[in-house]
Amino acid sequence: MSNFTAKPYKLNNTIQNYEWGTRDSEAFIPKFLGLAPEADKTYAELWIGAHPKAPSMLSYNDENVSLEKFIEQFPVEILGKSVADKFDGKLPFLLKVLSARKALSIQTHPNKKQAEELHKKDPVNYPDDNHKPEIAIAIDYLNAIVGFKPVEEIKKIFIDFPEIEVLTGKELFNKFNETGSQESLKEIYGKIINCNEEEIKPVLLLIKEKIENKNSPEDFEKQFLNEFGEYGIDVGLFSILIFNYVKLKSGEGIFTDAGVPHAYLKGNIIECMANSDNVVRAGLTPKFKDVNTLSEILDYSTEKPEILGNINDDVTEYSTSAKEFELSVISVKNETEKTINSETVIIYLVTEGELKISTDNSDYTFVKGETVLIPAALNKFSLTLKPEAKVVQVVIPK
């Protein structure tokens, strides 16, 4: 590659066709990109970034190059010196559009130290040494389970479904009901997810029958029945009972830090995370499960998750503790122009309408489904959002 050209770069991104993705007339990602879905093909995630598993591509000097290699060639020009120094010359975040037809696996993500140890011990199942704090923002809606319910709600589950005691033993069951401690919750959850199919089958069938006989089952109980229909006898179904059931409306977000157990169940979302693909799984998946690691690294806090999304004029901000990314959504009714000065990289994803980026030399137009990388070397430019436009902006916190 020759000398760097400071301008906006359109990214061509990879679709991941995981089995839980939407398909046919419900396939969200092809529709979002203006494509026709292939029959019976699942469309689960659109990856936007420089992860080696599926880096975005771009055109540079009439060559098709990966964003990963492009940044390796020009780390300071693209990332900015401070980001290049801080993150070892790599783009620190991965942006996704995710579309779930059914539940993703019951999972959590390791912290940085745990990720390094897992990658060293098992590089096949833990493909990098990075942690993966992440935010999910509903495009239309998201149903999810996130973190353990408050203690009193878990106790109520044990009252409503005393069959669970068969798996935990009376002593452990009573210990949690008496103390409500994180230590006893860890023991109970670890015991449950280590049970085999033969042990859990009669318990799950009793719970299923009990919910089916209810006049008005709660939302999480309906979800239990849905996932039973998809996965059958699966230890992950117990997590639907004792995790917080969350229903996000369009524009609402939720942040999951290291150790927070969760599973996205259904909906279309924007997701942003540290640049990692490390997932520790324990149910509702045909993929590799690592229940011992999961039960060890989980955060056993018992509280309701915080719903994010602070609207400030035409910008919705999503504040998190992540050092790798800061995401906001710009949404306008009328044509709006903004001047941007930045010493670090920015990625824009157009989710509605049209975006024009103007530099000293040229104008560049991007429409729904298109993504643009603004290198740090561009420094100053203007954004023009056409009427009814909506744009996701990802920057790196100072």
Side-chain angles (χ1 to χ4, degrees):
M1 291 187 225
S2 56
N3 291 335
F4 185 78
T5 305
K7 66 167 193 174
Y9 289 90
K10 181 183 173 183
L11 301 179
N12 296 309
N13 308 304
T14 301
I15 296 173
Q16 304 284 16
N17 305 102
Y18 305 137
E19 190 271 337
W20 47 259
T22 52
R23 62 189 177 206
D24 299 328
S25 62
E26 290 186 353
F28 177 83
I29 289 172
K31 197 182 303 177
F32 181 73
L33 298 174
L35 305 172
E38 294 180 37
D40 295 325
K41 191 169 187 177
T42 52
Y43 296 84
E45 296 181 347
L46 181 72
W47 283 32
I48 303 160
H51 194 282
K53 180 177 173 181
S56 300
M57 305 298 290
L58 57 96
S59 177
Y60 187 76
N61 287 346
D62 297 324
E63 283 184 57
N64 196 33
V65 299
S66 79
L67 182 55
E68 182 189 16
K69 300 299 181 190
F70 195 42
I71 292 172
E72 280 179 13
Q73 184 79 11
F74 302 111
V76 173
E77 291 88 343
I78 297 171
L79 302 174
K81 187 173 187 319
S82 61
V83 171
D85 289 348
K86 185 175 181 180
F87 295 104
D88 196 27
K90 292 181 171 61
L91 185 71
F93 64 83
L94 176 62
L95 181 64
K96 296 181 182 179
V97 178
L98 183 150
S99 181
R101 172 178 53 89
K102 64 177 187 176
L104 282 66
S105 53
I106 305 296
Q107 62 184 260
T108 194
H109 306 302
N111 63 30
K112 188 72 172 78
K113 184 171 184 295
Q114 291 162 346
E116 288 168 356
E117 290 169 356
L118 287 168
H119 176 64
K120 189 175 180 181
K121 184 176 73 175
D122 185 359
V124 172
N125 291 302
Y126 300 102
D128 58 69
D129 63 359
N130 204 8
H131 65 165
K132 195 185 174 191
E134 65 184 31
I135 188 169
I137 298 161
I139 296 173
D140 44 16
Y141 71 95
L142 173 66
N143 297 342
I145 47 175
V146 183
F148 289 94
K149 286 176 173 171
V151 168
E152 292 309 312
E153 291 186 28
I154 297 176
K155 286 181 179 179
K156 185 175 184 306
I157 292 295
F158 291 166
I159 291 167
D160 291 348
F161 304 108
E163 299 84 1
I164 297 171
E165 186 189 311
V166 173
L167 305 178
T168 65
K170 192 175 187 65
E171 187 181 338
L172 206 50
F173 205 69
N174 290 342
K175 182 181 175 184
F176 177 79
N177 282 324
E178 287 166 12
T179 67
S181 69
Q182 289 188 22
E183 179 198 349
S184 60
L185 180 58
K186 180 178 180 179
E187 288 181 272
I188 277 186
Y189 190 69
K191 195 85 181 283
I192 290 171
I193 63 173
N194 275 288
C195 287
N196 61 40
E197 188 172 321
E198 192 177 305
E199 292 171 307
I200 64 173
K201 184 175 181 178
V203 177
L204 287 174
L205 289 173
L206 282 169
I207 292 171
K208 175 176 175 281
E209 183 181 4
K210 191 173 281 188
I211 294 172
E212 286 172 336
N213 289 332
K214 279 192 169 187
N215 289 327
S216 51
E218 295 191 48
D219 284 346
F220 74 89
E221 293 173 322
K222 293 176 187 173
Q223 194 72 51
F224 177 98
L225 296 179
N226 286 346
E227 302 311 331
F228 190 101
E230 289 284 356
Y231 291 99
I233 303 300
D234 190 297
V235 75
L237 292 167
F238 291 103
S239 298
I240 294 175
L241 302 178
I242 60 177
F243 290 179
N244 293 293
Y245 185 76
V246 178
K247 297 179 80 168
L248 297 186
K249 299 191 292 286
S250 177
E252 293 182 331
I254 197 157
F255 178 68
T256 49
D257 210 343
V260 176
H262 62 283
Y264 303 142
L265 304 172
K266 191 173 176 63
N268 302 304
I269 64 174
I270 300 295
E271 195 180 17
C272 194
M273 62 206 67
N275 190 28
S276 170
D277 195 34
N278 277 327
V279 180
V280 186
R281 301 180 186 88
L284 302 186
T285 180
K287 294 182 180 178
F288 171 74
K289 301 179 188 71
D290 190 350
V291 293
N292 291 326
T293 296
L294 182 126
S295 62
E296 275 307 308
I297 71 173
L298 276 192
D299 179 346
Y300 288 91
S301 301
T302 49
E303 57 195 18
K304 296 283 188 189
E306 181 186 2
I307 306 301
L308 304 175
N310 180 40
I311 301 172
N312 185 4
D313 293 330
D314 56 10
V315 179
T316 306
E317 298 166 338
Y318 300 89
S319 180
T320 76
S321 58
K323 303 290 190 291
E324 294 84 359
F325 60 86
E326 186 174 283
L327 188 146
S328 56
V329 176
I330 310 166
S331 181
V332 301
K333 291 291 182 195
N334 304 307
E335 184 166 310
T336 304
E337 186 173 335
K338 299 172 180 284
T339 300
I340 309 289
N341 291 279
S342 178
E343 295 177 354
T344 61
V345 65
I346 305 174
I347 284 182
Y348 292 106
L349 167 63
V350 183
T351 59
E352 294 290 345
E354 187 178 304
L355 170 69
K356 184 174 78 174
I357 296 176
S358 302
T359 68
D360 290 340
N361 306 316
S362 304
D363 292 335
Y364 303 81
T365 299
F366 303 90
V367 297
K368 180 177 177 176
E370 293 187 331
T371 316
V372 55
L373 176 134
I374 307 292
L378 187 55
N379 196 254
K380 184 178 179 181
F381 58 96
S382 69
L383 296 180
T384 303
L385 285 84
K386 300 298 182 181
E388 304 299 329
K390 188 179 284 189
V391 178
V392 175
Q393 172 184 275
V394 186
V395 298
I396 296 158
K398 291 181 179 176

